[in-house]
Amino acid sequence: QVQLVESGGGLVQAGGSLRLSCAASGLTFSNYGMGWFRQAPGKERQFVAAINWADVSTFYGDSVKGRFTVSRDNAKNTVYLQMNNLKPEDTAVYYCAARRWEILRTPDSVAYWGQGTQVTVSS
């Protein structure tokens, strides 16, 4: 059974930083593309960042380019999202996502979701 467990969310002031982690189990982690999506109240789930299974290629949504960095540690079965220079519009529930041999760019491409972690950025 695949499980994705996010941690690291919280409340931060604008301009601050947070680091999200997602621990994966029940899968061969190095075979999976991993990603982060977010969903604000009343809005659709939005692509944030993705990293391929070989830890070679990364992709970012336009609104986070230059501020967020996605990385993975295949030895720890964990993917990270470093978020710098946070803005109030980054406030959302952040979800970890996975799919075998897939580069995740849309919610429809995701096979497994985490339960989400809340990030709130105050102005």
Side-chain angles (χ1 to χ4, degrees), residues 76-93:
K76 295 183 178 180
N77 285 10
T78 300
V79 62
Y80 305 97
L81 185 68
Q82 178 67 45
M83 305 185 294
N84 297 329
N85 190 22
L86 282 160
K87 304 176 181 181
E89 50 264 42
D90 294 319
T91 295
V93 177

Side-chain angles (χ1 to χ4, degrees), residues 50-123:
I51 185 166
N52 76 337
W53 49 91
D55 192 15
V56 173
S57 300
T58 56
F59 306 87
Y60 297 94
D62 289 342
S63 61
V64 306
K65 282 180 182 176
R67 300 188 297 122
F68 291 11
T69 302
V70 61
S71 61
R72 65 190 295 161
D73 185 337
N74 284 352
K76 295 183 178 180
N77 285 10
T78 300
V79 62
Y80 305 97
L81 185 68
Q82 178 67 45
M83 305 185 294
N84 297 329
N85 190 22
L86 282 160
K87 304 176 181 181
E89 50 264 42
D90 294 319
T91 295
V93 177
Y94 282 71
Y95 296 91
C96 179
R99 184 164 180 169
R100 192 167 180 261
W101 305 127
E102 186 84 14
I103 296 174
L104 304 176
R105 301 297 296 272
T106 65
D108 288 345
S109 64
V110 175
Y112 301 103
W113 292 100
Q115 83 287 351
T117 185
Q118 177 70 46
V119 171
T120 303
V121 184
S122 63
S123 57

